Amino acid sequence: MLKLFTSESVTPGHPDKLCDQVSDNILDAYLKEDKYARVACETCANKNGIVVMGEITSSKTVDLEKIVRDTVKNIGYDSDELGFNGDNINISLNISSQSPDISMGVDNSYDSNELGAGDQGIMFGYACNETKEYMPMPIMYASKLSKKLTEVYKNKEIPYLRPDGKTQVTVAYEDDKPKYIDAVVVSTQHDDTVSIEKVREDVKKYVIDSTIPKDLVNEDTKYYINPTGRFVLGGPIADSGLTGRKIIVDTYGGSCPHGGGAYSGKDYTKVDRSASYYARYVAKNIVAAGLCDKIEIQVSYAIGVSKPISLYINTYNTNKIDEEKILDIINKVFNFEPKNIIDELDLRQPIYHLTTCFGHFGKDNLPWEKLDKVDVIKKFV
């Protein structure tokens, strides 16, 4: 029996992703100057401009307005013709310091002298062997399509494109294994002067055909390119944007649950972000060690407490050894306490701009993607 599963992605010019980038670029700017800065920064955008709000505590200062303008222009909104120009948009900054009640629990945890969790909550990590990146196939190819769409826009290979865009991939599964790509959706912003026929022809040739392997498509694969027939107005002019509104795009495309906490704009003490990264690190190493074909990991925290409240795994009946044994190995090899996560993954670096677009997972240049525990895990089997 065939089952269809779909995931989506968006380009950097999407209004929500624009906001994510502003927030993460502000975070990185502070971490470059002060690796112990506390940042919880959110951005919203619409046709009237950009609002940056949140709590930031640091011994250093950065030029927030410059970061906002540079980010917007780098994405491609640098012309009055687009209706949104980083050089002259209105910017409102509403920043205060971190609550002392929160920082108290983070600096001195309830159960030890180490860092406490920056908030309560549940976080998920996931990995599977469907792709070489240990990611689900639908989100992996949706992300690759968004990245390619951005490349052909940036390098003018398709010269009439504009910054905003979305992609979507539907994969057909049989017996829980991906068989082929059933449908591809690409919607891309474009100049008013180009015909829809030209857009569809070029996107199929330069984006889809150069990204999706031929052995994953067949005569039944369907393509939907700008299905409305027109996408001239885009970005914050056409739709408002907000940090943290693309949490499924950022993670696993819906292949596993999500705890609900967004990542962008949050420093490493916020377990919404750091513990999700660590759970992915654990899951990827477990699958790469051959203990199961896929695994979902849930971890939970109480604010101000260093040790997790719970740790849960689900291997979807793909485990090669008992799940109880896998959980025991995880507890022996890995440490989910916030201080260890920060130190082991070296999270005080200004690396978060690398995560913001095309997914936070499945990228080799990020520390939570390393496979350095595989041999250690195998010794326990």
Side-chain angles (χ1 to χ4, degrees):
M1 175 182 174
L2 283 178
K3 295 182 178 180
L4 302 180
F5 191 87
T6 303
S7 297
E8 71 161 345
S9 181
V10 299
T11 67
H14 186 282
D16 291 333
K17 266 290 150 234
L18 181 151
C19 293
D20 286 342
Q21 289 167 91
V22 170
S23 295
D24 272 338
N25 285 344
I26 288 173
L27 169 62
D28 277 356
Y30 272 102
L31 291 179
K32 285 177 184 177
E33 302 297 326
D34 174 13
K35 64 181 181 178
Y36 296 103
R38 298 281 171 83
V39 179
C41 172
E42 296 181 338
T43 304
C44 61
N46 74 355
K47 60 184 179 181
N48 294 319
I50 285 181
V51 177
V52 180
M53 54 195 167
E55 298 78 44
I56 298 176
T57 301
S58 175
S59 61
K60 305 293 184 179
T61 59
V62 303
D63 189 341
L64 294 178
E65 183 172 323
K66 184 177 188 306
I67 293 170
V68 174
R69 295 194 187 282
D70 287 350
T71 301
V72 171
K73 289 188 291 184
N74 185 61
I75 291 169
Y77 295 111
D78 56 1
S79 167
D80 291 340
E81 181 185 355
L82 298 176
F84 201 77
N85 186 344
D87 283 324
N88 54 36
I89 55 171
N90 295 318
I91 298 174
S92 175
L93 304 175
N94 297 280
I95 303 296
S96 58
S97 298
Q98 184 181 50
S99 163
D101 293 350
I102 295 175
S103 62
M104 177 177 63
V106 175
D107 294 333
N108 299 287
S109 67
Y110 173 85
D111 56 338
S112 73
N113 293 322
E114 304 293 353
L115 285 174
D119 201 353
Q120 72 173 49
I122 55 176
M123 298 86 209
F124 287 89
Y126 184 85
C128 63
N129 57 14
E130 290 181 15
T131 62
K132 65 180 179 65
E133 296 90 355
Y134 294 92
M135 288 287 287
M137 185 176 289
I139 188 62
M140 204 66 239
Y141 279 106
S143 297
K144 288 181 177 182
L145 284 171
S146 286
K147 185 175 183 181
K148 186 63 177 179
L149 184 59
T150 302
E151 288 176 359
V152 299
Y153 157 68
K154 285 281 191 178
N155 64 23
K156 306 293 185 183
E157 192 171 1
I158 304 181
Y160 52 79
L161 293 188
R162 292 181 175 184
D164 199 354
K166 302 179 77 171
T167 64
Q168 188 170 284
V169 173
T170 300
V171 175
Y173 286 80
E174 187 173 30
D175 297 327
D176 210 28
K177 302 292 183 183
K179 289 299 180 182
Y180 63 90
I181 291 177
D182 181 78
V184 176
V185 181
V186 178
S187 295
T188 181
Q189 188 185 12
H190 57 82
D191 289 347
D192 196 15
T193 56
V194 66
S195 69
I196 184 59
E197 292 78 17
K198 179 64 171 172
V199 173
R200 289 170 175 165
E201 177 186 350
D202 287 346
V203 169
K204 178 67 165 56
K205 177 180 178 180
Y206 295 108
V207 178
I208 298 174
D209 291 347
S210 63
T211 303
I212 305 295
K214 288 183 172 55
D215 61 346
L216 287 179
V217 300
N218 57 31
E219 64 277 5
D220 295 322
T221 302
K222 298 170 282 292
Y223 302 97
Y224 303 93
I225 301 170
N226 280 30
T228 69
R230 178 180 170 87
F231 187 179
V232 174
L233 293 177
I237 290 298
D239 192 10
S240 62
L242 183 65
T243 298
R245 203 156 56 181
K246 287 292 176 282
I247 56 177
I248 300 301
V249 168
D250 286 343
T251 54
Y252 307 101
S255 290
C256 84
H258 195 293
Y263 301 161
S264 290
K266 295 179 180 177
D267 71 71
Y268 49 78
T269 66
K270 281 69 172 175
V271 285
D272 279 344
R273 188 168 207 164
S274 56
S276 296
Y277 290 168
Y278 198 73
R280 160 64 178 176
Y281 172 55
V282 175
K284 186 176 180 181
N285 276 269
I286 291 293
V287 173
L291 273 58
C292 52
D293 293 336
K294 60 181 175 180
I295 187 171
E296 165 198 317
I297 297 175
Q298 184 207 65
V299 61
S300 69
Y301 293 87
I303 187 169
V305 179
S306 65
K307 295 186 183 304
I309 300 302
S310 66
L311 186 63
Y312 161 87
I313 67 169
N314 179 11
T315 62
Y316 302 89
N317 295 318
T318 67
N319 49 305
K320 316 305 179 186
I321 62 175
D322 289 343
E323 281 193 350
E324 185 177 352
K325 177 65 175 176
I326 295 175
L327 187 57
D328 181 58
I329 291 171
I330 290 173
N331 282 317
K332 288 178 178 176
V333 176
F334 301 96
N335 179 354
F336 279 85
E337 294 182 25
K339 183 180 185 304
N340 178 74
I341 292 174
I342 295 165
D343 292 341
E344 189 173 353
L345 298 183
D346 197 14
L347 296 183
R348 294 186 178 91
Q349 307 174 72
I351 58 172
Y352 298 98
H353 67 284
L354 300 173
T355 70
T356 321
C357 299
F358 320 120
H360 290 241
F361 307 116
K363 300 174 180 176
D364 290 338
N365 59 339
L366 298 173
W368 46 91
E369 295 294 322
K370 59 187 178 181
L371 291 173
D372 60 342
K373 290 293 194 292
V374 172
D375 292 338
V376 178
I377 292 168
K378 289 180 176 179
K379 291 178 182 178
F380 286 94
V381 180

